[in-house]
Amino acid sequence: MSGREINEDIDNFDDKERNLYFGLFQLFINANASKLGKRFVKASQALIQEIGKRPYKSTAQRWLSEFLTIKEVPTHHRQEHGEYVHEFTSYDFLNTQTKTFIKGLIWSLNQFHDTKTLSLLADITAYSFTKIPNIGPRAAGVGNAAIYVLGNTKGIDGVGHLSRLKLKIKQSNTRKLIEKYIKVASEKRGISPQMIEDIAVPHFNLVNGTKTYSFENMTLQVTIEGVNKIVLRWIDEQGKERKSVPSFVKKSKKYAKQFQNIKVEAKSIKKVYAAQRDRLDRSFILDRELEIAYFQQYYVEHGLMSQLTQQLIWLFKIKDTYQPYFYQDSTWQTVEGKPLTNFEQVTSVKLWHPIYASIAEIESWRQLFQDLRRQQDIKQVFREVYLLTDAEINTRTYSNRMAAHILKQHQLNALCSVRGWSYKLMGAFDDGMDRSIAKLELPTHQLQVSYWLNEVYDDNAIADSGIWLYVATDQVRFSNIDNRVIPLVDIPKIVLSEAMRDVDLFVGVSSVGNDPQWQDNGGLPQHRDYWESYSFGDLSEIAKTRKSILENLIPRLKIRSQARVEGKFVIVKGQLRTYKIHIGSTNILMEPNDQYLCIVPSRRDSKSVSSIFLPFEGDKGLSVILSKAFLLADDTNIDDVTITRQIERY
């Protein structure tokens, strides 16, 4: 949003309209309050009424859309102090006055509740809270203003956007603000926050994940085929798919505009679907039970949610017994393929979790889904289970299962945000504080989970911003809302399992042991023993699940004669050497002397891996192992000299 564009618009207005906008601008530049006041509302609505609601809304939307295109401006600095040279980059965004103006402009939209306005405000919120290096959120005040309008809109469409933003925004205080608005909206309706989030999910008029549009003698199908895959297909009169957009659509302004609007909506569907996947994934720990009629309306028959619902196993309650079923061939079936015949007797349902099942039952479900080549966007059938150990029974109130690891602090912080944990980065500015806590609040269980962490001091282990690069992990504790520690034996099994799974994920992703270059780049010399022990040590629960998949998968691959699973490793026999890929860290040793081989994973899956059926989304490590296995099986054709030099070095 540029002042030049606004000035050009103002110059094109007549004198009366120009003066009305100037009156609004006076309100905007003084929008310094923390929340929208009655005086602002009354004055702005009167001026907008005179301008005309429709033309004002269109103008305001256009101006605010420009805000999403503004980028921070970097300035590089070099400071010399004798032999010491310090180089850093600072960033400039908008000044305070401009941010205040935008905040007022957003507040002026509080009387509009249409889809376009609410979607724009949601985009502005997400953009405002993206971080600028060494500064923080781009424009927190602007984002908070948009959150306020979304939280106070008529109906529940605003709540739907807030529900998605809660999963996307990293700042814990902002997530709490969003949760507050969702809670207020739910209390107004006398339902739980989880229920209002269910009800607020837009269906986009999809039917079983598909929506069809007519273009003369052609139809356009928009279909959900995965978390990041919304497919648009053109179908002709004979029912055949066309590979490109029909020429008559491109030539017609009417059809071209309609097609552009459809593509915009497809992007919205993609965002909402991904958000609902994440929300459902995080709901295992809530152990929610849904009445059958509610489940049918907001999950099974919902145009978007049905695509997630039908991938999953659900526990159907009949009388006092729970029986697991999944959706196959237009009916609910057991793992043995027996259909549910007494649906009218089902009173409620809840998500199946492997902690409810025996090992034999879990293996049956896993085998069935692999045989059917049925992929889940949510890791359920292969979900890890964390049971109380003897050591944890002995320590009573805390677990050391995830202690004594060295993690990359910024990665940990990002993961905490994704999984709904609150965490504050530790730095040299903490006045001697050497401990912080990652915390997960579970109000439905009246519990909170704490993962204790310590700073790792080292002169070379600190960012320019003063943030420590690494933290050391300590114990996990559970307490009630009054901070009274609860013995581990008293924690519900599913809560313990899901909380420990999150912590295992934090370690599994952000441990320095996963970084193939950490040791070669210097790392922390005093912690190299940890890197060695983690890189090639015992498998975590996540890695054990990965191993079971690889044991089933590798015999089906074209490299099956060269690869096998053995203990903690995938063994790959190349032409030049034999390689051992650790199933946990994905790091590699080479026989015969266990020489370390550093291969930095590509950001994209290789072509060999992209075509392989994997039973669930989201395990990057599994894809990395397969990519490395295919690469090393054909080691004579590797042309990357950084790899070949290591292989040839005996």
Side-chain angles (χ1 to χ4, degrees):
M1 186 174 74
S2 66
R4 184 175 64 253
E5 182 187 10
I6 293 177
N7 288 334
E8 288 175 355
D9 284 342
I10 292 294
D11 289 342
N12 291 324
F13 295 151
D14 59 37
D15 290 342
K16 178 183 177 182
E17 193 172 17
R18 187 180 302 118
N19 288 330
L20 290 171
Y21 271 96
F22 285 156
L24 283 170
F25 292 174
Q26 191 64 36
L27 292 174
F28 297 168
I29 62 176
N30 290 296
N32 296 308
S34 59
K35 62 180 180 180
L36 183 58
K38 292 181 180 178
R39 184 177 298 177
F40 182 101
V41 172
K42 184 177 179 181
S44 62
Q45 287 186 352
L47 290 166
I48 292 169
Q49 187 68 35
E50 285 199 63
I51 293 171
K53 286 188 175 183
R54 181 173 293 180
Y56 175 76
K57 181 174 68 173
S58 176
T59 300
Q61 287 174 346
R62 182 160 43 81
W63 288 349
L64 285 172
S65 294
E66 287 297 311
F67 170 73
L68 300 173
T69 67
I70 301 174
K71 303 295 183 183
E72 61 273 13
V73 179
T75 302
H76 301 287
H77 305 269
R78 177 184 173 89
Q79 297 176 348
E80 297 184 13
H81 304 280
E83 295 182 357
Y84 177 74
V85 178
H86 178 55
E87 293 184 281
F88 64 97
T89 303
S90 63
Y91 297 85
D92 292 311
F93 192 52
L94 299 175
N95 60 42
T96 302
Q97 292 82 0
T98 303
K99 291 178 183 177
T100 301
F101 181 92
I102 297 171
K103 179 179 172 182
L105 179 57
I106 288 170
W107 276 352
S108 72
L109 295 176
N110 74 304
Q111 60 184 299
F112 302 108
H113 314 286
D114 58 285
T115 299
K116 185 175 180 180
T117 297
L118 298 181
S119 295
L120 176 60
L121 291 175
D123 289 342
I124 288 170
T125 303
Y127 190 68
S128 297
F129 284 103
T130 54
K131 287 187 176 182
I132 297 175
N134 301 326
I135 293 178
R138 274 195 172 88
V142 171
N144 285 333
I147 288 172
Y148 180 90
V149 176
L150 288 170
N152 288 278
T153 190
K154 291 180 180 178
I156 60 172
D157 289 347
V159 173
H161 287 293
L162 291 177
S163 177
R164 179 173 63 83
L165 289 165
K166 183 180 69 172
L167 299 169
K168 187 173 185 178
I169 289 175
K170 296 179 179 180
Q171 293 79 8
S172 59
N173 58 336
T174 305
R175 290 204 305 268
K176 287 183 179 180
L177 177 64
I178 291 173
E179 288 170 355
K180 171 188 169 185
Y181 283 120
I182 293 174
K183 185 177 180 182
V184 169
S186 65
E187 288 174 347
K188 284 181 181 178
R189 294 163 176 79
I191 57 179
S192 70
Q194 291 79 26
M195 290 178 72
I196 199 168
E197 288 188 77
D198 284 338
I199 295 169
V201 179
H203 52 69
F204 297 101
N205 292 318
L206 293 160
V207 177
N208 288 325
T210 298
K211 189 173 182 178
T212 302
Y213 302 85
S214 295
F215 286 80
E216 293 185 1
N217 62 338
M218 300 281 288
T219 58
L220 175 61
Q221 290 181 351
V222 178
T223 304
I224 300 172
E225 292 193 356
V227 176
N228 295 307
K229 193 174 182 182
I230 307 298
V231 178
L232 279 66
R233 291 188 177 90
W234 290 98
I235 310 296
D236 63 18
E237 288 180 298
Q238 287 73 42
K240 294 182 179 180
E241 182 179 348
R242 294 284 185 91
K243 296 298 182 183
S244 59
V245 180
S247 58
F248 76 87
V249 173
K250 296 177 182 178
K251 294 176 182 178
S252 166
K253 288 185 178 180
K254 173 187 173 183
Y255 288 145
K257 184 177 180 180
Q258 183 183 357
F259 181 49
Q260 182 61 35
N261 290 337
I262 291 170
K263 289 195 292 183
V264 170
E265 184 178 58
K267 289 182 179 179
S268 296
I269 293 171
K270 182 178 178 179
K271 289 180 182 177
V272 173
Y273 185 79
Q276 294 312 309
R277 185 278 307 269
D278 294 343
R279 187 171 73 93
L280 259 184
D281 186 62
R282 282 166 51 173
S283 73
F284 279 98
I285 200 168
L286 302 178
D287 206 24
R288 290 180 68 196
E289 191 153 336
L290 310 173
E291 291 184 0
I292 187 61
Y294 182 93
F295 175 66
Q296 284 288 108
Q297 181 175 359
Y298 295 109
Y299 284 81
V300 178
E301 297 169 359
H302 189 281
L304 183 139
M305 291 299 296
S306 61
Q307 296 306 103
L308 287 166
T309 303
Q310 293 175 14
Q311 293 178 11
L312 300 171
I313 304 168
W314 297 83
L315 289 173
F316 284 66
K317 187 177 182 181
I318 301 175
K319 296 182 180 179
D320 294 324
T321 303
Y322 290 96
Q323 177 68 40
Y325 289 90
F326 79 116
Y327 200 77
Q328 177 72 3
D329 298 330
S330 302
T331 186
W332 293 100
Q333 299 181 13
T334 65
V335 69
E336 296 88 4
K338 297 178 181 178
L340 176 63
T341 56
N342 52 344
F343 188 85
E344 68 283 353
Q345 296 181 29
V346 178
T347 56
S348 62
V349 299
K350 64 178 180 178
L351 274 170
W352 177 88
H353 190 287
I355 204 164
Y356 295 123
S358 65
I359 293 175
E361 184 183 343
I362 294 169
E363 289 177 348
S364 295
W365 280 114
R366 289 181 176 181
Q367 190 61 54
L368 175 64
F369 273 55
Q370 289 187 103
D371 290 345
L372 294 174
R373 295 181 64 81
R374 186 183 181 108
Q375 187 178 64
Q376 293 185 303
D377 290 329
I378 296 171
K379 193 177 184 180
Q380 183 193 35
V381 173
F382 285 88
R383 204 171 189 85
E384 298 78 19
V385 172
Y386 298 78
L387 300 174
L388 203 61
T389 65
D390 290 341
E392 289 164 342
I393 293 173
N394 291 332
T395 56
R396 292 189 64 251
T397 58
Y398 62 91
S399 168
N400 280 328
R401 193 188 309 201
M402 304 298 177
H405 291 280
I406 308 298
L407 311 184
K408 294 182 178 181
Q409 188 178 197
H410 289 86
Q411 272 189 301
L412 170 66
N413 184 49
L415 280 169
C416 283
S417 173
V418 169
R419 297 302 298 173
W421 291 61
S422 59
Y423 177 67
K424 182 180 179 182
L425 287 167
M426 291 186 283
F429 46 75
D430 289 330
D431 297 327
M433 182 187 76
D434 61 355
R435 172 174 290 163
S436 185
I437 293 175
K439 184 176 290 186
L440 176 66
E441 296 182 358
L442 300 168
T444 56
H445 295 288
Q446 300 291 292
L447 291 171
Q448 52 189 5
V449 192
S450 300
Y451 190 26
W452 293 12
L453 302 151
N454 298 293
E455 299 171 352
V456 175
Y457 295 93
D458 189 280
D459 290 340
N460 297 319
I462 191 167
D464 289 338
S465 59
I467 300 295
W468 296 109
L469 298 179
Y470 308 107
V471 293
T473 68
D474 205 328
Q475 58 190 237
V476 175
R477 288 178 180 261
F478 292 79
S479 58
N480 63 15
I481 55 175
D482 297 321
N483 289 316
R484 182 174 61 85
V485 176
I486 306 297
L488 298 178
V489 293
D490 294 332
I491 303 300
K493 288 183 179 180
I494 196 166
V495 174
L496 177 74
S497 184
E498 284 296 296
M500 296 305 292
R501 180 178 183 269
D502 275 357
V503 177
D504 195 3
L505 177 69
F506 299 159
V507 173
V509 173
S510 55
S511 170
V512 299
N514 294 318
D515 184 351
Q517 294 179 300
W518 190 76
Q519 183 172 249
D520 291 341
N521 287 345
L524 294 170
Q526 67 271 35
H527 294 294
R528 285 180 182 170
D529 287 345
Y530 167 74
W531 185 88
E532 290 281 356
S533 64
Y534 183 88
S535 291
F536 305 108
D538 293 338
L539 300 183
S540 66
E541 293 302 322
I542 291 174
K544 289 176 183 175
T545 300
R546 193 179 289 163
K547 177 182 177 180
S548 70
I549 294 168
L550 289 166
E551 286 174 330
N552 183 282
L553 183 62
I554 287 176
R556 306 181 185 186
L557 303 178
K558 67 178 183 180
I559 59 170
R560 57 186 174 272
S561 62
Q562 296 172 263
R564 69 183 188 279
V565 175
E566 187 176 295
K568 300 176 288 187
F569 299 93
V570 172
I571 311 297
V572 180
K573 185 172 179 56
Q575 297 298 314
L576 302 176
R577 299 183 75 164
T578 297
Y579 310 89
K580 301 193 298 186
I581 308 171
H582 190 263
I583 297 172
S585 68
T586 77
N587 288 332
I588 307 166
L589 296 175
M590 296 185 286
E591 294 182 353
N593 56 350
D594 276 354
Q595 176 191 332
Y596 176 62
L597 173 61
C598 178
I599 298 180
V600 180
S602 169
R603 291 183 178 272
R604 296 182 179 179
D605 290 339
S606 67
K607 292 182 179 179
S608 299
V609 174
S610 60
S611 61
I612 296 174
F613 167 75
L614 299 176
F616 56 83
E617 287 278 354
D619 188 347
K620 181 64 177 176
L622 183 58
S623 298
V624 168
I625 290 170
L626 291 169
S627 295
K628 289 181 177 180
F630 275 95
L631 177 72
L632 296 171
D634 192 23
D635 55 4
T636 55
N637 286 318
I638 297 174
D639 54 15
D640 187 333
V641 294
T642 63
I643 299 175
T644 56
R645 285 174 183 168
Q646 297 176 78
I647 293 174
E648 294 166 0
R649 191 189 309 145
Y650 274 93

